[in-house]
Amino acid sequence: MNRLLKTILIFFFLFSIKTVFAQNIKISGTVTNKNNQALDYASVALIHLPDSASVALQASNQQGLYEFSNVKSGRYLIKALMMGYGKNQSAPFEVKDIAVKVPSITLAEHTQNLKDVNIISKMPVINQKADRVIVNVEQMNTAGDNALEVISRSPGVKLDKDDNIVLKGKKESM
């Protein structure tokens, strides 16, 4: 009985060690450009297959390296992208009990020249100054309204029941 108990304990101990090590599987690789130069701060995603769910996201370091830790067993691929470059992905790979080194992912430069750039600005409807409030009536939706209705939409201005203007609690008659 004592020998059986020791055997079970040893088996349980070995199984738990394997489980602990199996949970610390790492996936690593690099992101480079076509000249094989490291791309720092590229966005890298670990994608689980076949459902294409994103498992983890991170940025590559200054040497273009990335590393995902504590990856569960399964089929994955790595997607990488960076501003000024196109996006690319690794070939699918299988994660089992050992660390995986993914072949370098190369991103091609992707630039686009603009023909025209238009900067459009609008005046704010309400502009608060230190000593006054400026209301830009042209920016308000006032189609079909009379002047009294437009004034009543200004901040701090109300109309009483007799259509008298009430400005911050003080009556001003027209």
Side-chain angles (χ1 to χ4, degrees), residues 100-141:
V100 177
K101 175 77 170 145
V102 178
S104 181
I105 297 173
T106 304
L107 300 181
E109 285 189 45
H110 178 64
T111 58
Q112 184 176 4
N113 293 328
L114 301 176
K115 294 178 185 174
D116 294 327
V117 176
N118 295 327
I119 299 173
I120 300 172
S121 175
K122 291 185 178 181
M123 293 279 296
V125 175
I126 299 170
N127 192 358
Q128 180 76 41
K129 299 285 185 181
D131 58 340
R132 63 187 179 274
V133 175
I134 301 171
V135 178
N136 186 354
V137 179
E138 292 175 356
Q139 298 296 322
M140 295 174 76
N141 186 9

Side-chain angles (χ1 to χ4, degrees), residues 10-143:
I10 290 172
F11 178 73
F12 180 73
F13 178 72
L14 291 175
F15 180 74
S16 64
I17 288 175
K18 182 179 178 186
T19 304
V20 168
F21 285 121
Q23 292 175 350
N24 198 15
I25 299 172
K26 294 182 180 180
I27 297 174
S28 60
T30 58
V31 181
T32 60
N33 62 13
K34 67 179 181 177
N35 298 327
N36 210 23
Q37 295 173 328
L39 292 178
D40 53 343
Y41 307 110
S43 298
V44 182
L46 177 62
I47 307 296
H48 184 263
L49 296 176
D51 59 1
S52 297
S54 178
V55 176
L57 299 169
Q58 66 174 242
S60 61
N61 65 13
Q62 292 178 337
Q63 291 79 33
L65 300 172
Y66 61 87
E67 181 177 278
F68 296 101
S69 300
N70 300 325
V71 179
K72 295 180 182 177
S73 296
R75 246 175 107 64
Y76 297 91
L77 65 83
I78 302 289
K79 285 188 178 180
L81 61 98
M82 185 172 178
M83 187 178 294
Y85 292 86
K87 55 185 172 182
N88 199 358
Q89 66 185 33
S90 70
F93 55 88
E94 191 78 29
V95 173
K96 291 187 180 178
D97 294 338
I98 59 172
V100 177
K101 175 77 170 145
V102 178
S104 181
I105 297 173
T106 304
L107 300 181
E109 285 189 45
H110 178 64
T111 58
Q112 184 176 4
N113 293 328
L114 301 176
K115 294 178 185 174
D116 294 327
V117 176
N118 295 327
I119 299 173
I120 300 172
S121 175
K122 291 185 178 181
M123 293 279 296
V125 175
I126 299 170
N127 192 358
Q128 180 76 41
K129 299 285 185 181
D131 58 340
R132 63 187 179 274
V133 175
I134 301 171
V135 178
N136 186 354
V137 179
E138 292 175 356
Q139 298 296 322
M140 295 174 76
N141 186 9
T142 59

